[in-house]
Amino acid sequence: MVDINLLKQICSYPGAPGFEHAIRSFLKDRLVNYCDDLQIDPMGNLIAFKKGRTDHKLMISAHMDEIGFIVQHIDEEGFIRFLPLGGFDPKTLTAQRVIIHGKQDVIGVMGSKPIHLMTPDERSKAPLLKDYFIDTGLEKSVLQSLISVGDPITRERELIQMGKCINSKSLDNRISVYTLVECLHSQEKTIPETDLYFVFTVQEELGLRGAKSAAHRIAPDYAINVDTTIAFDVPGAQPHEMVTKLGHGVAIKLFDSSVIPDIRMVNFLKDCAYKSEIKWQAELLTGGGTDTAAVQTSGNGCIAGAISIPTRHIHQAIEMVHEEDVYAALNLLNSAIRNLTSFNFKF
């Protein structure tokens, strides 16, 4: 159901916010033969255009950046201090490997004070980002010939399959990038009813920056953003806390802390799911947001909504999705493209 080799490639290319050039280059080469025009805008968003039968514009977006870090300081012993690029729960950094992307890639490990040397008070407190440093095993003179202050850092973790689940770093949001790629591929021999803009945005993890610029440039009539959302379907979770569950279908966003999707788009996506017999679940997320908010309010605004792929352990190096939810997301996107012009979007 899921092209694991393709997804593994998409997850492997680095793309910390503001440093998306490697993943963008891969996608550009992959998509050039599947669209009528391919552009990189001044912000760095990759925009794949497919001409439709009418001039109505549908923007389908997914951010290609991943949470990461930036080198802040290299001390006299060769240890690296860093700043976050995106939101991190510090405790998830313990015992992790990272890659510093300088003149060449350098592997490092997240280090902190050993528990054996901690005071009882230190042991009882949650760690802070400032408690960590990166150890490359290299002396400062060697390290400085390879990396510099300002170089990006990403996490190191290979994608694996676990039953019907997929586990990897950066599934937020590379699983959605994969879904858009497959959706565009499926449109290869068709002429859509509307102009389609598949937009792979930058710097979402720093505040939805790329999407705002892209939406202003395109000025879409309709927009569907694809991103991950929390699946807190684990021991100890209360039913109202779960947001979504793995294996229960693609999520249609009803609310998050940054946006209330246009009710017309919500109803349209529900209608597509019912007509195409696609398994779906409602998403109401009390914290966090996606590019949907930036797209909805850019320029004169547009009829915007979002679909989300349920993800466990989000913003960790062991993010997990269910292949049936991914397949449902792809089916819902294709259904939306087919049925957009036949739906009554009037208030």
Side-chain angles (χ1 to χ4, degrees), residues 6-163:
L6 174 58
L7 179 57
K8 186 175 290 188
Q9 283 184 293
I10 290 173
C11 288
S12 69
Y13 282 93
F19 300 90
E20 297 93 348
H21 43 279
I23 180 60
R24 181 173 54 236
S25 179
F26 170 78
L27 292 172
K28 182 173 180 287
D29 292 341
R30 181 88 190 187
L31 300 177
V32 66
N33 295 322
Y34 293 91
C35 56
D36 298 314
D37 185 55
L38 194 62
Q39 294 186 8
I40 299 171
D41 72 10
M43 273 287 292
N45 301 300
L46 180 64
I47 303 172
F49 171 71
K50 189 169 178 65
K51 180 63 183 170
R53 300 180 191 277
T54 70
D55 291 332
H56 293 293
K57 300 176 183 178
L58 170 60
M59 175 176 166
I60 303 173
S61 58
H63 73 88
M64 58 183 168
D65 59 311
E66 59 180 317
I67 56 173
F69 312 95
I70 189 169
V71 175
Q72 180 188 26
H73 177 71
I74 305 171
D75 72 17
E76 290 303 315
E77 302 301 321
F79 296 112
I80 298 168
R81 295 290 180 170
F82 57 88
L83 297 173
L85 295 176
F88 275 94
D89 179 353
K91 70 176 181 291
T92 67
L93 303 183
T94 299
Q96 297 294 333
R97 290 193 184 107
V98 296
I99 307 172
I100 306 107
H101 304 282
K103 294 177 182 177
Q104 67 183 56
D105 287 350
V106 177
I107 297 289
V109 295
M110 284 288 178
S112 60
K113 190 174 183 179
I115 193 170
H116 314 71
L117 305 181
M118 289 181 181
T119 65
D121 184 55
E122 288 173 328
R123 292 183 188 186
S124 66
K125 290 182 179 179
L128 303 174
L129 276 174
K130 68 179 182 63
D131 296 328
Y132 292 90
F133 55 85
I134 296 173
D135 181 3
T136 66
L138 300 175
E139 296 179 357
K140 183 178 182 180
S141 59
V142 176
L143 195 57
Q144 285 187 315
S145 69
L146 301 175
I147 67 169
S148 304
V149 169
D151 285 341
I153 305 165
T154 59
R155 296 161 299 164
E156 188 272 337
R157 185 63 67 96
E158 187 174 350
L159 182 148
I160 61 170
Q161 291 178 271
M162 303 172 67

Side-chain angles (χ1 to χ4, degrees), residues 207-227:
L208 322 182
R209 297 176 182 179
K212 183 176 182 180
S213 172
H216 187 77
R217 181 186 186 91
I218 295 168
D221 301 295
Y222 310 94
I224 301 172
N225 179 246
V226 188
D227 209 322

Side-chain angles (χ1 to χ4, degrees), residues 268-300:
F268 168 62
L269 292 172
K270 288 180 180 180
D271 187 65
C272 288
Y274 285 127
K275 286 181 176 178
S276 300
E277 298 183 343
I278 297 167
K279 196 174 181 180
W280 71 278
Q281 53 190 312
E283 178 204 358
L284 294 96
L285 182 63
T286 56
T290 68
D291 279 340
T292 315
V295 174
Q296 184 186 53
T297 57
S298 293
N300 294 323

